[in-house]
Amino acid sequence: MGLNLGAAREKVRVAHALAGLPRIAAAMARGELSYSKVRALSRVACPATEESLLMIALHGTAHHVERLVRGYRRAQEAEELSREAQQHAKRSVTYGYDEDGSLILRARLPAVAGAMLIQALDAALESLPEEEISADVVAERSIPFESLRADALAAVAESFLAESHSSSSSADRYQVVVHVDAETLREHTAGRCEIEQGPSLPAETVRRLACDASLLQVLETESGEPLDVGRKTRSIPPAIRRALNTRDGGCRFPGCTHQRYVDAHHIKHWADGGETKLANLVTLCRLHHRLVHEGEILIDPLPGGGWRFVHPDGRHFALIRCSRAASYDWEELERTHAALGIPIDADTAATRWQGERMDYDLGVWMLCNQANRAREEQDVSAETCDQEDDDFAETFEEEDDVSAETSSA
């Protein structure tokens, strides 16, 4: 549809809000309210204030509605300050490892910190692919939103570590350290292969990480005591990495437009004797890099240069081409309105505002009173229900006592 992800998400939020606001939804359906007005109203409207807000929206401009909604939200937030102290006192983050090595994270954050985290996750989501290759490598499938959120959280962590302003002397504190035996890395045999102070990892996962990482060789005795510690080096030197970035410009998998959070992949792994040169390197995003190491995507170098990405059974991955946009018939909307009996003309959505000054303080005061009155009525109704439940319970107990006495007699 050509919508930005944030704009699409906002439209979905408004649609869900309109389900509980029948008067505003009907006015919008008749063309009397613009989307701008409805978007603002849906942020604060409730059954108690819907009628008043609708009246203001019909007689005012979108600017009037936006300003009134901002003032009303500030008034609502003024009584919520005590909650912030409670949220701050209860903040916590705990984590542990599951039996399969997965990290289980549980967090309780104050509202502001939580909002920042959600915004960071939403921003990271925009840079992640929404589909992945299925296990049988037949077609792409959508990634569940919960899984996308997990990928986004990992991207947020990686982005912070990559842009950390810490000094070089303490930079190692922000690295994920993996211990792996040389034989395990080279021969895929059993051996040590684990995150430092963490769970074990599959050997193929470590081979994927080692494609583009810092390497430190440690020579140990049979009892595990270090004999010699070599210099830390990059598996891909900076000069070759710069040339690779210039040549590829992002993930080279057909149709993938990923340009951030990409890895340099050794087509023939350096642990197997592959050379670290441009002809043996290709840039892949995290998703396709993982699938290559898991054997779900194969890379065949072409004789004249370049690569061919194929399924394990030899079928090629087809290039994704842009389809021609469908022609738009502007008269279709008019015919739809006519079929639904909705007359739309130049005056349908015209504001009834006559140029008078709006009293925003009075509007906010009126909305707050309506919301408070509805809350009080709800509390009274809840107390009445509780009292009726208690009376019913007492009556039921009395009847049980009488029944017991009758039985005894």
Side-chain angles (χ1 to χ4, degrees):
M1 295 178 60
L3 285 178
N4 179 273
L5 183 61
R9 188 179 297 111
E10 181 69 3
K11 287 183 180 293
V12 172
R13 182 196 65 79
V14 173
H16 283 299
L18 287 177
L21 303 171
R23 296 183 179 87
I24 294 177
M28 185 182 185
R30 294 191 299 268
E32 297 174 356
L33 291 182
S34 66
Y35 171 72
S36 297
K37 290 182 178 180
V38 174
R39 180 182 58 188
L41 295 175
S42 64
R43 298 191 187 112
V44 298
C46 65
T49 59
E50 180 184 9
E51 190 66 36
S52 297
L53 287 170
L54 176 59
M55 181 269 295
I56 294 172
L58 290 174
H59 289 80
T61 65
H63 172 74
H64 291 141
V65 176
E66 286 279 1
R67 185 170 175 181
L68 178 68
V69 167
R70 285 198 300 268
Y72 181 46
R73 294 182 73 176
R74 293 194 193 102
Q76 288 181 311
E77 292 164 359
E79 63 179 0
E80 300 292 332
L81 292 180
S82 60
R83 296 176 57 190
E84 185 174 358
Q86 299 176 9
Q87 295 170 4
H88 184 77
K90 295 179 180 179
R91 71 194 189 281
S92 65
V93 173
T94 58
Y95 68 89
Y97 292 99
D98 201 357
E99 293 181 355
D100 63 353
S102 301
L103 177 70
I104 301 177
L105 185 67
R106 180 178 176 85
R108 183 188 182 99
L109 301 177
V112 175
M116 288 190 294
L117 176 61
I118 292 175
Q119 290 293 333
L121 291 177
D122 290 343
L125 279 173
E126 297 182 5
S127 64
L128 297 175
E130 296 184 1
E131 293 184 340
E132 63 181 354
I133 307 298
S134 61
D136 53 6
V137 199
V138 173
E140 291 193 345
R141 64 182 179 189
S142 299
I143 304 175
F145 187 72
E146 294 80 3
S147 301
L148 281 175
R149 275 274 175 83
D151 296 340
L153 183 59
V156 169
E158 181 178 0
S159 176
F160 177 82
L161 297 181
E163 299 176 4
S164 176
H165 298 291
S166 59
S167 61
S168 59
S169 61
S170 61
D172 286 345
R173 293 187 302 159
Y174 304 103
Q175 293 183 351
V176 176
V177 180
V178 177
H179 297 278
V180 56
D181 292 339
E183 292 78 8
T184 301
L185 186 64
R186 186 181 303 111
E187 306 294 340
H188 299 266
T189 57
R192 184 171 62 165
C193 186
E194 61 189 18
I195 297 177
E196 187 172 69
Q197 298 180 353
S200 61
L201 293 175
E204 195 58 49
T205 298
V206 176
R207 287 170 65 89
R208 171 170 58 85
L209 297 175
C211 271
D212 185 14
S214 297
L215 305 175
L216 183 64
Q217 183 175 355
V218 180
L219 182 63
E220 298 179 344
T221 63
E222 294 181 356
S223 60
E225 296 180 358
L227 290 178
D228 180 56
V229 179
R231 295 180 58 188
K232 184 170 68 173
T233 61
R234 291 286 302 179
S235 58
I236 300 177
I240 295 181
R241 184 58 192 257
R242 286 193 294 268
L244 183 65
N245 292 340
T246 301
R247 186 195 68 185
D248 291 349
C251 181
R252 294 300 299 269
F253 185 82
C256 184
T257 60
H258 222 58
Q259 296 181 344
R260 300 182 61 193
Y261 309 114
V262 292
D263 297 330
H265 170 67
H266 284 76
I267 298 175
K268 182 179 180 181
H269 203 281
W270 56 263
D272 299 328
E275 298 182 76
T276 303
K277 60 181 183 180
L278 286 176
N280 191 44
L281 294 172
V282 63
T283 303
L284 297 173
C285 68
R286 299 292 162 78
L287 170 64
H288 293 120
H289 194 188
R290 176 175 59 81
L291 293 176
V292 167
H293 278 274
E294 292 178 356
E296 298 187 10
I297 298 176
L298 304 180
I299 303 178
D300 289 340
L302 299 176
W307 312 270
R308 180 173 56 188
F309 294 83
V310 298
H311 294 269
D313 59 8
R315 292 178 294 114
H316 299 178
F317 282 92
L319 290 176
I320 300 176
R321 297 179 174 84
C322 296
S323 58
R324 179 177 300 178
S327 59
Y328 175 72
D329 182 8
W330 64 270
E331 295 180 343
E332 180 65 26
L333 182 61
E334 185 176 355
R335 291 192 292 268
T336 301
H337 286 160
L340 295 174
I342 303 176
I344 303 292
D345 55 31
D347 298 326
T348 301
T351 177
R352 304 172 190 176
W353 180 51
Q354 299 296 323
E356 63 273 14
R357 179 182 293 274
M358 181 173 179
D359 191 338
Y360 294 102
D361 292 338
L362 177 60
V364 170
W365 176 84
M366 176 189 65
L367 294 173
C368 288
N369 278 346
Q370 291 176 343
N372 291 336
R373 191 180 306 116
R375 191 181 305 116
E376 291 172 358
E377 292 175 355
Q378 185 177 5
D379 293 341
V380 171
S381 177
E383 291 178 359
T384 302
C385 292
D386 292 341
Q387 183 62 41
E388 291 177 353
D389 291 341
D390 293 341
D391 294 342
F392 176 78
E394 292 177 0
T395 303
F396 186 77
E397 291 175 357
E398 291 175 357
E399 291 178 352
D400 283 349
D401 293 341
V402 172
S403 175
E405 293 174 359
T406 304
S407 300
S408 300

